[in-house]
């Protein structure tokens, strides 16, 4: 249990933040630690879901760029204005695309630059996702450890334990 933060294997180790020393906390402090870490885990899960959504959207955009690059010039097609609204259009120039760089700003790029942009953003999001998963698992183990110690202390305090 004490190895959740890494280190010498004891929670009473030297260093300010290395060992948690959860066993030394009062019941109220343990409850607060558990609630706080549970809240942080939930926030991290929300962030992970947002990253998954953004990655999916970029994957779809990358697939759309690949599809667009193989269509002949002058090809009639449906152009999405929103997720559910399409208008008829004609492909004028598949070599240049507008890339949404956020907050309503678009940048004109070549098809290759647009694909590269999508791939770089996808790789960045996947890297961030992996880092958040690591942090979330550490926070979850701290919450689990605090919960286990809290249960043990409450069991010791209850008069019917004997």
């Amino acid at each position: 249990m004490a190895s959740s933060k890494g280190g010498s294997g004891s929670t009473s180790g030297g260093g300010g933040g290395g060992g948690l020393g959860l066993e030394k906390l009062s019941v109220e402090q343990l409850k607060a630690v558990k609630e706080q870490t549970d809240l942080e885990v939930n926030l991290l899960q929300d962030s992970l879901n947002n990253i998954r959504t953004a990655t999916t959207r970029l994957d779809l955009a990358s697939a759309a760029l690949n599809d667009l690059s193989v269509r002949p010039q002058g090809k009639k097609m449906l152009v999405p204005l929103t997720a559910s609204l399409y208008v008829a259009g004609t492909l004028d120039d598949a070599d240049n695309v507008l890339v949404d760089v956020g907050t309503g700003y678009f940048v004109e790029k070549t098809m290759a630059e647009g694909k590269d942009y999508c791939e770089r953003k996808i790789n960045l999001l996947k890297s961030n996702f992996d880092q958040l998963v690591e942090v979330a698992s550490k926070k979850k183990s701290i919450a689990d450890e605090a919960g286990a110690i809290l249960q043990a202390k409450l069991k010791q305090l209850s008069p019917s334990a004997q």
Side-chain angles (χ1 to χ4, degrees):
M1 280 189 191
S3 63
S4 67
K5 278 297 212 180
S8 66
S10 76
T11 57
S12 61
L20 291 176
L22 292 175
E23 296 88 2
K24 296 177 183 175
L25 298 178
S26 69
V27 171
E28 292 79 22
Q29 290 171 324
L30 280 169
K31 284 181 183 177
V33 167
K34 174 129 177 63
E35 288 174 7
Q36 179 65 32
T37 52
D38 283 342
L39 178 65
E40 290 172 2
V41 167
N42 288 337
L43 290 173
L44 288 169
Q45 288 295 336
D46 288 345
S47 294
L48 289 170
N49 289 335
N50 290 340
I51 289 175
R52 271 191 214 107
T53 301
T55 302
T56 300
R57 293 177 78 187
L58 279 167
D59 282 334
L60 290 172
S62 182
L65 285 175
N66 287 328
D67 184 46
L68 192 61
S69 67
V70 297
R71 292 187 184 260
Q73 195 164 335
K75 171 88 173 165
K76 297 221 182 271
M77 58 191 302
L78 291 175
V79 179
L81 293 182
T82 66
S84 60
L85 178 63
Y86 292 79
V87 295
T90 305
L91 181 59
D92 184 36
D93 180 12
D95 294 329
N96 294 307
V97 294
L98 289 177
V99 176
D100 183 356
V101 293
T103 62
Y105 288 96
F106 292 84
V107 176
E108 185 173 343
K109 294 186 175 281
T110 65
M111 181 63 72
E113 291 170 339
K115 290 177 183 178
D116 180 59
Y117 176 83
C118 287
E119 288 304 313
R120 285 185 293 118
K121 290 294 266 185
I122 289 170
N123 290 336
L124 175 66
L125 287 172
K126 287 181 179 177
S127 171
N128 289 346
F129 184 86
D130 293 340
Q131 290 173 358
L132 278 178
V133 165
E134 186 178 323
V135 170
S137 67
K138 286 179 182 177
K139 291 285 185 182
K140 178 83 170 100
S141 68
I142 291 170
D144 292 346
E145 183 179 356
I149 294 170
L150 178 62
Q151 289 296 324
K153 284 195 176 202
L154 289 174
K155 189 173 183 181
Q156 286 176 350
L157 293 175
S158 77
S160 63
Q162 303 300 6

